[in-house]
Protein backbone atom coordinates (compact mmCIF):
# COMPACT_ATOMS: atom_id res chain seq x y z
CA UNK A 1 0.00 0.00 0.00
CA UNK A 2 1.45 3.32 -1.10
CA UNK A 3 2.20 5.57 1.87
CA UNK A 4 3.01 8.60 -0.27
CA UNK A 5 0.79 9.36 -3.25
CA UNK A 6 0.99 11.81 -6.10
CA UNK A 7 -2.31 11.42 -7.89
CA UNK A 8 -1.53 13.62 -10.88
CA UNK A 9 0.95 11.93 -13.21
CA UNK A 10 1.35 15.06 -15.29
CA UNK A 11 0.74 18.81 -15.25
CA UNK A 12 1.04 21.36 -18.01
CA UNK A 13 1.41 25.06 -17.16
CA UNK A 14 2.09 28.18 -19.14
CA UNK A 15 5.33 30.06 -18.51
CA UNK A 16 4.87 32.77 -15.87
CA UNK A 17 1.87 31.11 -14.26
CA UNK A 18 1.75 29.16 -11.01
CA UNK A 19 2.45 25.42 -10.89
CA UNK A 20 0.88 23.50 -8.02
CA UNK A 21 1.98 19.94 -7.38
CA UNK A 22 0.17 17.86 -4.80
CA UNK A 23 1.07 14.99 -2.54
CA UNK A 24 -0.88 12.95 0.01
CA UNK A 25 0.41 10.63 2.68
CA UNK A 26 -1.05 8.10 5.08
CA UNK A 27 1.52 7.66 7.85
CA UNK A 28 1.12 10.20 10.66
CA UNK A 29 4.61 9.29 11.96
CA UNK A 30 6.35 11.03 9.06
CA UNK A 31 8.36 13.90 10.55
CA UNK A 32 9.87 15.51 7.48
CA UNK A 33 8.76 16.05 3.90
CA UNK A 34 10.89 16.81 0.87
CA UNK A 35 10.48 17.65 -2.80
CA UNK A 36 12.91 16.49 -5.43
CA UNK A 37 13.24 17.37 -9.08
CA UNK A 38 14.46 14.88 -11.66
CA UNK A 39 15.61 15.26 -15.24
CA UNK A 40 15.86 12.21 -17.53
CA UNK A 41 19.00 10.08 -17.07
CA UNK A 42 20.02 12.01 -13.95
CA UNK A 43 19.61 11.43 -10.23
CA UNK A 44 16.96 13.44 -8.36
CA UNK A 45 18.09 16.74 -6.88
CA UNK A 46 16.75 18.16 -3.64
CA UNK A 47 14.50 21.17 -4.00
CA UNK A 48 12.86 22.13 -0.73
CA UNK A 49 11.71 20.53 2.51
CA UNK A 50 9.42 21.11 5.45
CA UNK A 51 9.33 19.83 8.99
CA UNK A 52 6.08 18.35 10.27
CA UNK A 53 5.93 21.08 12.92
CA UNK A 54 5.61 23.80 10.28
CA UNK A 55 2.93 24.56 7.74
CA UNK A 56 4.89 26.56 5.20
CA UNK A 57 8.44 26.90 3.91
CA UNK A 58 9.54 29.25 1.16
CA UNK A 59 12.69 29.37 -0.93
CA UNK A 60 12.69 31.81 -3.81
CA UNK A 61 10.11 30.75 -6.38
CA UNK A 62 9.33 27.56 -4.46
CA UNK A 63 6.94 27.24 -1.53
CA UNK A 64 5.85 24.07 0.19
CA UNK A 65 2.65 23.94 2.23
CA UNK A 66 1.82 21.23 4.73
CA UNK A 67 -1.67 20.44 6.01
CA UNK A 68 -1.18 17.82 8.71
CA UNK A 69 -4.83 17.31 9.47
CA UNK A 70 -5.49 16.46 5.83
CA UNK A 71 -2.15 14.63 5.45
CA UNK A 72 -1.51 16.72 2.36
CA UNK A 73 1.35 18.79 1.07
CA UNK A 74 1.78 20.89 -2.02
CA UNK A 75 4.61 22.55 -3.90
CA UNK A 76 3.97 25.93 -5.52
CA UNK A 77 6.27 27.28 -8.19
CA UNK A 78 5.77 30.96 -9.04
CA UNK A 79 6.47 32.06 -11.68
CA UNK A 80 6.93 28.85 -13.65
CA UNK A 81 9.80 28.76 -16.12
CA UNK A 82 10.56 26.36 -19.01
CA UNK A 83 13.60 25.09 -17.09
CA UNK A 84 11.22 23.84 -14.40
CA UNK A 85 9.99 21.14 -16.78
CA UNK A 86 10.95 17.89 -15.06
CA UNK A 87 9.50 15.11 -12.93
CA UNK A 88 8.83 16.16 -9.33
CA UNK A 89 8.85 13.65 -6.51
CA UNK A 90 7.42 14.14 -3.08
CA UNK A 91 9.13 12.20 -0.25
CA UNK A 92 8.46 11.61 3.43
CA UNK A 93 10.89 10.57 6.16
CA UNK A 94 9.80 8.15 8.83
CA UNK A 95 11.14 7.70 12.36
CA UNK A 96 13.77 5.21 11.17
CA UNK A 97 15.19 7.75 8.66
CA UNK A 98 13.78 5.89 5.67
CA UNK A 99 12.72 8.11 2.80
CA UNK A 100 9.53 7.03 1.07
CA UNK A 101 8.81 8.53 -2.32
CA UNK A 102 5.67 9.13 -4.33
CA UNK A 103 5.17 8.14 -7.96
CA UNK A 104 6.08 11.54 -9.34
CA UNK A 105 4.38 14.28 -11.37
CA UNK A 106 5.75 15.30 -14.75
CA UNK A 107 5.58 19.08 -15.06
CA UNK A 108 5.73 20.70 -18.46
CA UNK A 109 6.04 24.48 -18.66
CA UNK A 110 5.25 25.79 -22.12
CA UNK A 111 5.93 29.29 -23.54
CA UNK B 1 30.06 19.63 -2.22
CA UNK B 2 28.37 16.31 -1.56
CA UNK B 3 29.17 13.60 -4.02
CA UNK B 4 27.45 10.26 -4.45
CA UNK B 5 29.05 8.22 -7.18
CA UNK B 6 27.63 5.13 -8.81
CA UNK B 7 30.13 2.90 -10.55
CA UNK B 8 28.35 2.66 -13.91
CA UNK B 9 25.90 4.80 -15.86
CA UNK B 10 24.79 1.96 -18.14
CA UNK B 11 25.01 -1.81 -17.74
CA UNK B 12 23.80 -4.69 -19.88
CA UNK B 13 23.73 -8.10 -18.25
CA UNK B 14 22.43 -11.53 -19.16
CA UNK B 15 19.66 -13.36 -17.35
CA UNK B 16 21.05 -15.40 -14.48
CA UNK B 17 24.21 -13.34 -14.03
CA UNK B 18 25.22 -12.03 -10.64
CA UNK B 19 25.33 -8.25 -10.82
CA UNK B 20 27.05 -5.79 -8.51
CA UNK B 21 26.09 -2.11 -8.38
CA UNK B 22 28.48 0.01 -6.37
CA UNK B 23 27.86 3.33 -4.67
CA UNK B 24 30.33 5.56 -2.85
CA UNK B 25 29.66 8.78 -0.93
CA UNK B 26 32.21 11.26 0.33
CA UNK B 27 30.26 13.13 3.02
CA UNK B 28 30.55 10.71 5.94
CA UNK B 29 26.81 10.08 5.82
CA UNK B 30 25.44 7.40 8.12
CA UNK B 31 22.44 6.49 5.95
CA UNK B 32 22.59 4.99 2.49
CA UNK B 33 19.75 3.86 0.26
CA UNK B 34 19.11 1.90 -2.93
CA UNK B 35 16.02 2.71 -5.00
CA UNK B 36 14.77 1.67 -8.38
CA UNK B 37 12.78 3.94 -10.63
CA UNK B 38 10.21 2.57 -13.06
CA UNK B 39 7.65 4.46 -15.17
CA UNK B 40 4.46 5.07 -13.25
CA UNK B 41 5.86 3.55 -10.06
CA UNK B 42 8.14 6.34 -8.87
CA UNK B 43 11.13 5.58 -6.66
CA UNK B 44 10.77 2.37 -4.70
CA UNK B 45 13.07 1.59 -1.81
CA UNK B 46 14.97 -1.70 -2.16
CA UNK B 47 17.28 -1.57 0.87
CA UNK B 48 18.39 0.94 3.45
CA UNK B 49 21.48 0.99 5.67
CA UNK B 50 21.87 3.26 8.71
CA UNK B 51 25.37 2.13 9.70
CA UNK B 52 28.21 -0.15 8.67
CA UNK B 53 27.04 -3.77 8.40
CA UNK B 54 23.46 -2.70 9.22
CA UNK B 55 20.67 -3.04 6.70
CA UNK B 56 16.91 -2.93 6.52
CA UNK B 57 14.61 -4.18 3.81
CA UNK B 58 12.67 -1.63 1.88
CA UNK B 59 9.47 -2.18 -0.06
CA UNK B 60 10.87 -4.46 -2.78
CA UNK B 61 13.89 -6.43 -1.48
CA UNK B 62 13.10 -9.71 -3.28
CA UNK B 63 15.88 -10.75 -5.64
CA UNK B 64 18.35 -8.27 -4.14
CA UNK B 65 20.90 -8.20 -1.36
CA UNK B 66 23.22 -5.48 -0.09
CA UNK B 67 26.59 -5.10 1.52
CA UNK B 68 27.97 -2.27 3.63
CA UNK B 69 31.43 -3.12 4.90
CA UNK B 70 32.65 0.49 4.96
CA UNK B 71 30.75 3.63 5.85
CA UNK B 72 31.27 5.26 2.46
CA UNK B 73 30.33 2.29 0.27
CA UNK B 74 27.00 0.55 -0.25
CA UNK B 75 26.68 -2.25 -2.77
CA UNK B 76 23.53 -3.66 -4.33
CA UNK B 77 23.70 -7.26 -5.50
CA UNK B 78 21.35 -8.96 -7.91
CA UNK B 79 21.91 -12.61 -7.07
CA UNK B 80 20.54 -13.92 -10.37
CA UNK B 81 19.50 -11.14 -12.72
CA UNK B 82 16.11 -11.40 -14.37
CA UNK B 83 14.48 -9.31 -17.08
CA UNK B 84 12.04 -7.75 -14.60
CA UNK B 85 15.02 -6.18 -12.86
CA UNK B 86 15.68 -4.01 -15.90
CA UNK B 87 15.37 -0.54 -14.40
CA UNK B 88 17.08 2.69 -13.35
CA UNK B 89 18.87 2.14 -10.03
CA UNK B 90 19.54 5.10 -7.78
CA UNK B 91 21.77 5.28 -4.74
CA UNK B 92 21.40 8.00 -2.10
CA UNK B 93 22.93 8.99 1.23
CA UNK B 94 22.01 11.25 4.14
CA UNK B 95 22.94 12.14 7.68
CA UNK B 96 21.19 10.54 10.59
CA UNK B 97 17.94 12.18 11.74
CA UNK B 98 18.28 15.74 12.81
CA UNK B 99 16.89 18.73 11.01
CA UNK B 100 17.27 19.18 7.31
CA UNK B 101 18.91 15.87 6.49
CA UNK B 102 17.95 15.62 2.86
CA UNK B 103 19.27 12.69 0.86
CA UNK B 104 21.73 13.23 -1.99
CA UNK B 105 21.51 11.01 -5.03
CA UNK B 106 23.98 9.55 -7.46
CA UNK B 107 23.53 9.91 -11.19
CA UNK B 108 21.83 6.54 -11.52
CA UNK B 109 22.65 3.25 -13.25
CA UNK B 110 20.50 2.16 -16.15
CA UNK B 111 20.54 -1.64 -15.99
CA UNK B 112 19.23 -3.75 -18.85
CA UNK B 113 18.90 -7.51 -18.34
CA UNK B 114 18.63 -9.46 -21.58
Amino acid sequence: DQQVKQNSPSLSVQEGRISILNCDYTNSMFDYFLWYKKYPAEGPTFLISISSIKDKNEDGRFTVFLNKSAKHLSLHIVPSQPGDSAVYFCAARDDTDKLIFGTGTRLQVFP
Amino acid sequence: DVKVTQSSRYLVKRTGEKVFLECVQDMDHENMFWYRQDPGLGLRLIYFSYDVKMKEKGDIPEGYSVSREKKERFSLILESASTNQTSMYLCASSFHTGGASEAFFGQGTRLTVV
Side-chain angles (χ1 to χ4, degrees):
Chain A
D1 192 27
Q2 196 107 32
Q3 296 186 70
V4 179
K5 298 179 186 179
Q6 293 176 258
N7 292 317
S8 298
S10 63
L11 176 67
S12 190
V13 171
Q14 190 171 30
E15 182 178 4
R17 307 291 291 263
I18 184 171
S19 295
I20 300 176
L21 295 94
N22 294 303
C23 180
D24 298 294
Y25 62 95
T26 57
N27 187 345
S28 56
M29 297 303 293
F30 289 144
D31 66 349
Y32 214 76
F33 301 90
L34 307 92
W35 284 95
Y36 282 80
K37 176 179 179 180
K38 187 180 185 300
Y39 294 116
E42 291 183 13
T45 54
F46 169 73
L47 205 53
I48 191 169
S49 61
I50 187 166
S51 165
S52 59
I53 63 172
K54 298 195 171 181
D55 54 19
K56 178 182 174 181
N57 187 26
E58 194 171 351
D59 183 2
R61 296 187 298 115
F62 303 92
T63 303
V64 56
F65 296 92
L66 175 63
N67 182 336
K68 281 188 71 175
S69 59
K71 294 193 176 70
H72 177 85
L73 64 154
S74 61
L75 174 68
H76 293 210
I77 306 173
V78 183
S80 301
Q81 299 173 354
D84 295 330
S85 297
V87 178
Y88 288 79
F89 289 99
C90 157
R93 188 180 73 192
D94 72 10
D95 54 357
T96 67
D97 268 3
K98 276 187 213 167
L99 272 182
I100 310 298
F101 282 79
T103 51
T105 297
R106 181 177 301 279
L107 172 66
Q108 184 182 5
V109 180
F110 59 93
Chain B
D1 206 22
V2 176
K3 198 159 185 187
V4 180
T5 305
Q6 295 183 228
S7 52
S8 305
R9 289 295 301 266
Y10 301 94
L11 271 180
V12 180
K13 296 291 181 182
R14 294 195 178 279
T15 301
E17 274 194 78
K18 191 168 187 175
V19 181
F20 293 86
L21 302 183
E22 307 286 347
C23 176
V24 177
Q25 51 95 2
D26 65 359
M27 278 301 290
D28 204 34
H29 285 164
E30 293 88 2
N31 300 325
M32 295 191 75
F33 309 81
W34 274 106
Y35 293 88
R36 61 178 281 178
Q37 182 194 3
D38 300 287
L41 298 176
L43 272 66
R44 293 180 294 165
L45 181 64
I46 305 171
Y47 266 98
F48 162 58
S49 170
Y50 53 90
D51 202 348
V52 175
K53 297 190 187 295
M54 305 307 289
K55 62 185 178 186
E56 278 193 27
K57 292 180 180 178
D59 297 321
I60 50 163
E62 297 79 19
Y64 303 95
S65 62
V66 289
S67 172
R68 189 148 180 220
E69 296 297 318
K70 294 185 177 181
K71 190 175 186 180
E72 68 270 18
R73 186 179 296 270
F74 192 34
S75 304
L76 179 69
I77 304 152
L78 285 66
E79 298 292 341
S80 176
S82 63
T83 54
N84 63 12
Q85 292 179 309
T86 291
S87 186
M88 167 73 91
Y89 289 87
L90 294 157
C91 174
S93 68
S94 71
F95 284 117
H96 228 347
T97 306
S101 56
E102 68 265 25
F104 296 85
F105 280 83
Q107 76 278 27
T109 297
R110 170 71 64 185
L111 172 67
T112 302
V113 182
V114 297

